Amino acid sequence: MKKSSRCIAAVITTTTMINKFLKRYDLAAKELKALLPYYIIILGLISAVSAAVCIFSGGDYTLFTGAAAGTLVSAASFFSLAVSCQNVAHMNEKTARLSMNGTYAVRYILMFIILGVLMYFKLINPLTAVIPLFVPKIGYTADALFFERKD
C-alpha cells in the first residue's frame, strides 16, 4: 500500500509541475498545439510509407523509430524555441540576442547529439528522422497559404 501511495503522490506532483510549467509558458504551449495537427499528419504519412516499404523490403523497424524520434526531437526543439522567445521578451536587445544565440546553439547541438547517437547505433533511419524537423516550417507555410488568420 505504501508503494502505491508513493507512486500516486509522484504522479500528482509531476502533473502539478507540468501544469505550472505550461501555465508559465502558455504562449509556447499554444504554438505547439497549433502545430500538433501537422506533426500528426507528417508522422502518419511517414508511417504509411514506412509500412509499405517494410512490407516490400522485409521489415525495417528503423523507419518507424526514425519518424517517432524525429517528431519528438522536432517538437521539443520547437517548444524550446518558443520558451526562449517568451523568456527574452522582457530583456534588453543585447541580452536577448546573447540568450537567443545561446539557446539556438544548445538546441542544435542537442538535436545533433540525440539523432547522431541514435543513427550511430542504427536505431533510427536518418531520412525518416530528418523529415519531421521541417514540420514547423511546413505548418507555418501552410497556414499562411491556405488559412486566413483571425487576429
Side-chain angles (χ1 to χ4, degrees):
M1 187 72 175
K2 269 189 166 181
K3 285 185 181 180
S4 64
S5 62
R6 277 189 257 166
C7 287
I8 292 170
V11 168
I12 291 170
T13 304
T14 304
T15 305
T16 304
M17 288 172 41
I18 290 171
N19 285 336
K20 284 181 182 178
F21 182 79
L22 290 177
K23 283 181 184 176
R24 180 173 178 190
Y25 298 109
D26 59 335
L27 295 175
K30 180 182 169 190
E31 287 297 316
L32 189 60
K33 284 180 188 176
L35 286 177
L36 186 61
Y38 296 105
Y39 278 114
I40 292 170
I41 290 168
I42 296 294
L43 183 60
L45 289 173
I46 293 171
S47 296
V49 171
S50 298
V53 170
C54 281
I55 290 170
F56 295 114
S57 71
D60 183 12
Y61 73 92
T62 62
L63 295 169
F64 295 108
T65 57
T71 301
L72 289 175
V73 166
S74 177
S77 175
F78 179 79
F79 187 75
S80 171
L81 171 66
V83 166
S84 298
C85 290
Q86 195 169 339
N87 284 338
V88 301
H90 66 278
M91 295 179 185
N92 66 36
E93 183 182 349
K94 186 176 181 180
T95 307
R97 183 178 293 131
L98 286 172
S99 177
M100 289 304 292
N101 286 337
T103 59
Y104 174 84
V106 169
R107 266 194 335 274
Y108 278 91
I109 289 169
L110 285 175
M111 282 178 19
F112 178 76
I113 289 171
I114 291 168
L115 293 177
V117 167
L118 292 172
M119 285 180 214
Y120 178 79
F121 289 110
K122 298 185 183 352
L123 297 173
I124 62 173
N125 182 293
L127 180 64
T128 58
V130 169
I131 292 171
L133 299 178
F134 295 100
V135 168
K137 183 74 164 179
I138 293 167
Y140 284 123
T141 303
D143 278 350
L145 289 175
F146 302 114
F147 301 108
E148 186 176 318
R149 284 274 189 197
K150 296 177 183 176
D151 290 338

